[in-house]
Amino acid sequence: MASKPLNNIWIRRQQCPCGDWKCYIRLEGDESTTKTEIESTTSSSPSPSSSSSSPYVGQIFRTDEEAFEHYTTFARKTGFSIRKARSTESHNLGVYRRDFVCYRSGFNQPRKKPNVQHPRERKSLRCGCDAKLYLTKQVLAIEGTTTTKTQWYVSQFSNVHNHELLEDEQVRLLPAYRKIQQTDQERILLLSKAGFPVNRIVKLLELERGVQLPFIEKDVRNFVRACKRSVQESDALLNEKRESDLMELLESCKGFAERDMGFVYEFTSDESGKVESLAWAYGECVQGYSMFGDVVVFDTSYRSITYGLLLGVFFGMDNGGNAILLGGGHPQTIVTDIDTGLKDAIERELPNTNHVVFMCDVASKLASWFSQDLGSHYDEFRAGFEMLCRAGSIDEFEQQWDLLVTRFGLVPDRHAALLYSCRATWSPCCVRQHFLAQTMTPEFSLSIDSFLKRIVAEPTCMQALLEEVSVAASLAKQIPQRVPYPTMKTCMPMEDHARAVLTPYAFSVLQNEMVLSLQYAVAEMANGPYILHHFKKMEGECCVFWNPENEEIHCSCKEFEHSGILCRHSLRVLAVKNCFHIPEQYFLVRWRQESSLVSEENQNGMGIGDDCVQTFQSLTETLLTESMVSKDRLDYTNQELSALIDRVRNIEPANTCISHDC
């Protein structure tokens, strides 16, 4: 009989890429990185009502959880903790009353003692304290509508305790406030697996943090014990489970391949024939790579603490700026986090592919690497590093790097050595020559992070992971939300030409460059090139070469080579030379309207055409302008529009969709 698959728990990788197993990173923005955050309440993102002010009868909260957070914060500051007691519900209202009480409320009820010779007697903390906060749900009708809204108000409140309140140093030891944040969990598990006893783990964490921990040794011991219990307390059994689940995952892949002709998978085995690693790609991912596989983002942010496996996902950007899953092939450029193992693997397996590291990944690790050693000088170092990233050439970068590490005494530092060894993959002056589309933007990074969090949010078995990723990959085949083109801003013929060729996303990027191009002065040199500089001289000069015979244009900023979108400098020269269209070779296929994963039939059914939208917008703007002349006109318009909307809703939709041309 097959054993039940284990729930697979994913956490962010914290092992430092420097190679030292004892070194781990804490990314900027993570919780519990400062003393203030450690001493905060259990809520990591306080609501508007979360303050230390005393609750009062009649106080209003949007939800019962908001009220609980507010009362928790007040209790922490006052010197006690609270717990949820009774709740009352009805068939119509559901839960309509919540009772929150002091942690010492009530009395401990005697339990039936187990049949042992010497049962443990635990002293109860409960002493009948009457401090409490009672909430009552209130359903209110919204004036002028038939809808209602729900709120909660404090119906009873008492802050009278029959016991002493605790000082801050004591209250932090109450169980309600002792939490092991996710950022510490992997570190604890790593040290435990290496053989460190719990007391030494706690001591090491205290030395690394430099402040009191928000948990005690008992919590760490319970956490380690719970983790061992979640993986059956046995490495041998875990390995057996891992092998069984991976084999079932392999069988699931075979089933997918039968249903999806485009589905592909590969796996590796060890000497005993056991599955070591498994990779798969859905048909939509393979199709996506054929169209947008010039730049691939390989994300390995998460690993499984249940199976000890890394989760690697290949992403790309479509012509709408959306993150899509990709599969297969040798891309022109691959983007990863900074990792020496990945660097070596890419050099070995993809020798003709450019390797680029996310600059935001490098920046997020700087504080973890250097802030403790540099102390008060870290901010000064960070400013110098940002200046280093603005170096215009490799020679300038090398010179500034030597000055920076020498100035702050980082020549022997292993993290500085790691950065320098990987400088060709992250320094802007080096990666500028590689094609990256728009994958280095913060918006694209956030969309990838959001996608991954949806997958790893809940513990699931491996087979469920296969299904969940399949659903996400299938979204590429569904009809996307239609993004309208931005309104014309420059009235330049080139702008109109680009709008007819590019997708709304690519056009908006190019349009922004067109608008900014108007801020540049152009000087034509005797030997042919054009020198451009900003009217405020906020940046260095750029050199543009224009060949009218074959309509070729090149700029020293290399923006087109980097993103596939012409830069503001090139557009400025084209405008000066009275070019009314953009040469066709500067409309890359990946940014054109016809390059889409959505079928032409679905594209034609995505909604009303752009011309219709603009006409409709013009009419509504005129209507608004005329209606605002007087109150009578406004009242009449509101009345007629309400009636018009009702009539439109009663019209049965036609079987055929409106075409793009009205």
Side-chain angles (χ1 to χ4, degrees):
M1 180 177 178
S3 58
K4 181 180 178 181
L6 289 174
N7 276 341
N8 187 33
I9 302 173
W10 300 98
I11 61 175
R12 276 197 176 274
R13 296 173 61 201
Q14 289 182 276
Q15 188 64 42
C16 181
C18 71
D20 185 353
W21 71 271
K22 294 178 293 183
C23 182
Y24 77 113
I25 58 173
R26 190 181 304 279
L27 301 179
E28 291 185 359
D30 281 349
E31 295 177 1
S32 302
T33 56
T34 64
K35 183 175 180 180
T36 302
E37 291 170 327
I38 292 172
E39 295 177 349
S40 65
T41 63
T42 55
S43 174
S44 59
S45 53
S47 64
S49 296
S50 294
S51 65
S52 58
S53 60
S54 174
Y56 56 89
V57 174
Q59 188 173 7
I60 302 296
F61 296 94
R62 292 189 299 269
T63 64
D64 53 339
E65 284 300 322
E66 181 182 333
F68 184 76
E69 290 179 7
H70 178 81
Y71 194 20
T72 298
T73 305
F74 169 75
R76 174 69 184 266
K77 295 292 185 180
T78 306
F80 66 102
S81 67
I82 62 172
R83 57 183 170 87
K84 296 179 180 179
R86 183 182 59 178
S87 62
T88 311
E89 61 181 308
S90 69
H91 179 72
N92 294 329
L93 294 176
V95 176
Y96 65 89
R97 173 169 165 166
R98 295 277 194 192
D99 295 354
F100 306 141
V101 298
C102 173
Y103 75 113
R104 303 194 68 176
S105 171
F107 296 94
N108 193 40
Q109 299 297 324
R111 298 179 180 178
K112 184 178 180 181
K113 297 182 179 180
N115 188 21
V116 293
Q117 187 174 3
H118 299 290
R120 284 194 303 170
E121 294 288 346
R122 294 185 177 180
K123 184 179 179 180
S124 174
L125 290 175
R126 299 191 179 185
C127 59
C129 180
D130 194 42
K132 63 195 173 190
L133 184 149
Y134 292 170
L135 280 177
T136 302
K137 180 189 288 187
Q138 189 176 27
V139 180
L140 303 174
I142 299 178
E143 186 177 354
T145 67
T146 58
T147 58
T148 60
K149 70 173 182 179
T150 301
Q151 64 182 25
W152 294 77
Y153 69 93
V154 179
S155 54
Q156 292 187 49
F157 174 69
S158 171
N159 196 35
V160 178
H161 301 263
N162 64 353
H163 57 89
E164 290 185 1
L165 299 178
L166 303 178
E167 298 294 333
D168 186 65
E169 285 299 311
Q170 298 172 311
V171 76
R172 74 176 187 86
L173 299 177
L174 293 177
Y177 306 125
R178 303 200 313 258
K179 303 294 181 183
I180 301 179
Q181 302 292 347
Q182 184 177 353
T183 52
D184 292 317
Q185 292 178 7
E186 183 178 4
R187 182 66 169 160
I188 292 172
L189 291 176
L190 180 66
L191 294 172
S192 176
K193 191 173 182 179
F196 279 65
V198 171
N199 61 334
R200 289 199 175 186
I201 293 176
V202 174
K203 186 64 177 176
L204 181 60
L205 291 177
E206 287 178 344
L207 290 174
E208 291 177 340
R209 300 277 286 274
V211 293
Q212 283 187 321
L213 299 174
F215 46 84
I216 60 176
E217 183 177 318
K218 177 182 177 182
D219 302 319
V220 176
R221 196 178 305 278
N222 290 339
F223 171 72
V224 173
R225 185 183 297 117
C227 288
K228 288 182 178 179
R229 188 165 56 246
S230 70
V231 295
Q232 308 299 315
E233 299 185 2
S234 170
D235 287 341
L237 181 58
L238 177 59
N239 289 335
E240 180 183 345
K241 283 282 191 181
R242 177 178 180 236
E243 295 161 12
S244 174
D245 290 353
L246 285 176
M247 286 302 299
E248 291 186 17
L249 177 59
L250 183 59
E251 291 299 319
S252 298
C253 287
K254 294 177 181 178
F256 259 90
E258 295 175 358
R259 301 194 303 269
D260 180 0
M261 297 301 294
F263 183 88
V264 293
Y265 66 95
E266 291 184 1
F267 65 95
T268 60
S269 304
D270 60 16
E271 296 177 353
S272 60
K274 298 174 182 177
V275 178
E276 277 187 322
S277 61
L278 178 62
W280 69 87
Y282 309 94
E284 295 88 350
C285 302
V286 177
Q287 180 189 4
Y289 177 83
S290 66
M291 303 181 70
F292 305 108
D294 44 10
V295 183
V296 171
V297 175
F298 185 46
D299 190 284
T300 57
S301 300
Y302 289 90
R303 77 173 185 89
S304 166
I305 62 173
T306 309
Y307 296 93
L309 296 174
L310 284 179
L311 174 65
V313 185
F314 292 93
F315 289 97
M317 175 183 281
D318 66 8
N319 60 354
N322 306 304
I324 58 173
L325 295 180
L326 298 180
H330 293 69
Q332 179 180 342
T333 306
I334 187 169
V335 185
T336 70
D337 292 342
I338 185 169
D339 189 294
T340 52
L342 278 175
K343 178 176 177 289
D344 295 339
I346 291 171
E347 290 177 353
R348 183 177 62 253
E349 301 295 333
L350 302 171
N352 299 320
T353 296
N354 300 315
H355 181 203
V356 174
V357 167
F358 273 116
M359 187 60 210
C360 59
D361 176 64
V362 173
S364 67
K365 292 179 171 64
L366 293 179
S368 180
W369 284 343
F370 303 114
S371 62
Q372 185 171 357
D373 292 338
L374 296 179
S376 60
H377 297 290
Y378 171 72
D379 290 339
E380 192 177 352
F381 164 80
R382 184 62 184 261
F385 185 84
E386 292 175 356
M387 183 178 296
L388 172 75
C389 293
R390 292 194 290 270
S393 66
I394 296 177
D395 291 339
E396 183 182 351
F397 174 88
E398 295 283 351
Q399 182 180 7
Q400 290 191 23
W401 174 268
D402 291 340
L403 293 174
L404 185 68
V405 295
T406 302
R407 177 185 176 188
F408 292 97
L410 297 175
V411 174
D413 187 89
R414 66 177 183 274
H415 298 124
L418 170 66
L419 283 175
Y420 186 74
S421 66
C422 298
R423 64 192 182 283
T425 63
W426 62 264
S427 61
C429 61
C430 293
V431 304
R432 192 69 181 170
Q433 58 189 332
H434 302 320
F435 181 73
L436 290 168
Q438 293 286 319
T439 57
M440 301 295 277
T441 61
E443 295 78 14
F444 187 70
S445 298
L446 288 174
S447 65
I448 289 179
D449 190 54
S450 176
F451 178 92
L452 290 171
K453 285 180 178 178
R454 288 197 300 269
I455 295 178
V456 303
E458 298 295 335
T460 57
C461 63
M462 282 294 186
Q463 294 86 329
L465 177 68
L466 184 67
E467 296 286 348
E468 289 171 1
V469 181
S470 173
V471 171
S474 298
L475 293 176
K477 295 183 65 177
Q478 298 181 7
I479 299 174
Q481 181 180 4
R482 183 168 178 81
V483 179
Y485 280 90
T487 57
M488 304 290 282
K489 295 181 180 179
T490 67
C491 296
M492 298 167 62
M494 286 190 298
E495 184 181 14
D496 189 61
H497 178 212
R499 186 181 184 279
V501 178
L502 300 176
T503 62
Y505 173 79
F507 173 71
S508 66
V509 177
L510 181 66
Q511 185 187 56
N512 183 60
E513 293 295 315
M514 284 187 177
V515 172
L516 295 176
S517 71
L518 301 176
Q519 301 178 5
Y520 285 80
V522 182
E524 184 174 1
M525 307 302 291
N527 56 352
Y530 298 84
I531 304 299
L532 289 86
H533 62 86
H534 194 267
F535 79 102
K536 288 186 178 180
K537 295 186 178 180
M538 296 175 62
E539 57 183 84
E541 296 178 340
C542 284
C543 182
V544 177
F545 292 87
W546 164 242
N547 187 341
E549 295 181 0
N550 53 13
E551 294 188 323
E552 290 185 358
I553 192 164
H554 302 279
C555 181
S556 59
C557 76
K558 298 185 181 299
E559 177 62 30
F560 180 76
E561 292 81 1
H562 187 65
S563 67
I565 302 292
L566 274 181
C567 65
R568 61 199 69 173
H569 317 110
S570 297
L571 292 168
R572 180 60 172 158
V573 171
L574 290 176
V576 169
K577 301 307 293 183
N578 296 323
C579 293
F580 300 121
H581 72 281
I582 296 175
E584 287 296 319
Q585 65 265 35
Y586 297 106
F587 291 133
L588 295 189
V589 174
R590 70 156 6 263
W591 296 128
R592 289 173 177 258
Q593 297 171 3
E594 60 267 22
S595 301
S596 176
L597 294 175
V598 184
S599 65
E600 183 177 352
E601 178 182 355
N602 284 340
Q603 287 186 38
N604 290 335
M606 283 198 299
I608 300 175
D610 299 319
D611 293 338
C612 292
V613 171
Q614 287 194 346
T615 302
F616 192 80
Q617 288 177 341
S618 177
L619 288 173
T620 55
E621 289 174 359
T622 303
L623 181 62
L624 178 62
T625 301
E626 295 295 335
S627 301
M628 296 300 293
V629 172
S630 67
K631 186 177 184 304
D632 292 339
R633 284 191 179 188
L634 185 60
D635 293 341
Y636 175 78
T637 302
N638 286 333
Q639 180 181 354
E640 292 297 316
L641 281 178
S642 299
L644 178 60
I645 291 173
D646 291 337
R647 290 198 296 271
V648 171
R649 285 174 176 167
N650 292 329
I651 299 175
E652 291 293 332
N655 293 330
T656 58
C657 296
I658 300 176
S659 64
H660 286 274
D661 298 326
C662 292

